[in-house]
Amino acid sequence: PPLLEFDSCGTGSSAKPSYLSSSTTAIEIDESFEGCPSSSCDVLSAATSGDFIVPASGCTLSSGRITLSGNMTVEGRAGAAEWPEIQALQQHFSVGSGLRLELRYLTLIGGSNYGGGSISINGQGTELVVASCKFKNNQAGYSGGAISVSSNALAFIESSVFDGNSVTFSYTGYGGGAISVSYGGTVTIASTQFKNNIATDQSRGGAIRVNDGGKVILSGGDNVFEATNSAGAGNMTYLAKSSSSTPPLLEFDSCGTGSSAKPSYLSSSTT
């Protein structure tokens, strides 16, 4: 027989189309396919894996951070005038153990944690994919106001905005107002804007801090670091290395060759 299935959108008779029997557990997607009704916020808050569409009205993660137990994809609506907001009472997502988190067409706002105010990702084989998202007003105590990537994890970020994220503790060993990368973590960034991100007082890297063994690849020529990012040192990006560690790396990828292709703040002797 053919099958029409409504998946991951909640339960309850009030949510069911009238033509389904009382014994059927289902819920109807609205005609504009904006996603599940508001109850989907509760479903997302309680989830640790799966695929979810956030309604246009946004969500608040009522149960605190989501710690993944399996792969997860969370999306808003492509082409929407405003991406739906996911508010957090603490950190939005914690990803480890070789899992994968994909986020698209969302605004992640108000997250807080010691490391990775919105998202922390760590561990070999662990991946984060961010496309067309905004990270706004998230904060971390130590590192990565929005995102912290460490321990050989991989992150891919494109067509996104980091605005007003911060690291709040003042110490030279802390920082990365928007992103912190360390201990073999790698972040590839394309077509992304950084503005108003702060590493407080003595902390380093207003937008990005790259620590021991970390690597950041700025891909293409259209990443934007505005002068409104600020820190005790390295308003845009700060690279930090302890004496016995693998040095951090900041790589400019696919930008051509010759002095005309180089950012103005690189010396003429820099390749």
Side-chain angles (χ1 to χ4, degrees):
L3 177 65
L4 176 62
E5 181 177 300
F6 300 85
D7 186 31
S8 302
C9 291
T11 59
S13 58
S14 62
K16 291 185 294 185
S18 58
Y19 51 81
L20 294 180
S21 69
S22 59
S23 62
T24 302
T25 301
I27 192 169
E28 187 176 32
I29 301 282
D30 66 38
E31 291 181 0
S32 63
F33 201 66
E34 285 289 352
C36 305
S38 58
S39 61
S40 68
C41 295
D42 296 328
V43 174
L44 176 60
S45 294
T48 58
S49 64
D51 299 332
F52 300 90
I53 298 175
V54 176
S57 57
C59 281
T60 296
L61 299 182
S62 57
S63 301
R65 78 168 57 85
I66 295 173
T67 300
L68 269 66
S69 64
N71 296 335
M72 178 179 282
T73 299
V74 185
E75 295 188 3
R77 290 292 297 138
E82 295 289 338
W83 297 327
E85 293 183 353
I86 300 181
Q87 298 267 358
L89 304 178
Q90 49 180 280
Q91 187 184 48
H92 290 92
F93 298 97
S94 176
V95 191
S97 304
L99 301 176
R100 179 183 177 95
L101 173 65
E102 297 187 32
L103 303 173
R104 300 185 184 90
Y105 314 115
L106 299 168
T107 296
L108 289 92
I109 187 170
S112 63
N113 194 42
Y114 287 113
S118 177
I119 301 171
S120 60
I121 169 175
N122 64 85
Q124 187 75 40
T126 307
E127 294 185 355
L128 169 67
V129 177
V130 174
S132 299
C133 290
K134 178 183 287 187
F135 292 84
K136 186 175 182 179
N137 298 342
N138 301 285
Q139 67 176 33
Y142 302 143
S143 60
I147 298 175
S148 174
V149 180
S150 65
S151 303
N152 301 304
L154 301 175
F156 306 89
I157 301 168
E158 66 173 349
S159 303
S160 295
V161 177
F162 290 80
D163 181 7
N165 305 285
S166 61
V167 166
T168 58
F169 293 174
S170 175
Y171 176 62
T172 57
Y174 301 153
I179 299 173
S180 173
V181 190
S182 60
Y183 303 113
T186 299
V187 179
T188 300
I189 303 171
S191 304
T192 291
Q193 180 184 30
F194 295 84
K195 60 182 180 179
N196 305 314
N197 301 290
I198 299 172
T200 304
D201 296 335
Q202 297 183 51
S203 299
R204 309 304 202 211
I208 301 173
R209 180 179 176 122
V210 192
N211 288 320
D212 301 336
K215 180 178 180 180
V216 169
I217 302 170
L218 299 178
S219 182
D222 52 357
N223 291 298
V224 176
F225 293 79
E226 295 192 3
T228 54
N229 298 290
S230 64
N235 288 339
M236 310 304 178
T237 304
Y238 186 86
L239 281 71
K241 177 187 180 298
S242 60
S243 59
S244 60
S245 67
T246 303
L249 179 63
L250 178 63
E251 181 177 304
F252 298 88
D253 185 33
S254 302
C255 291
T257 58
S259 59
S260 64
K262 292 186 294 185
S264 59
Y265 49 82
L266 294 180
S267 69
S268 58
S269 60
T270 303
T271 303

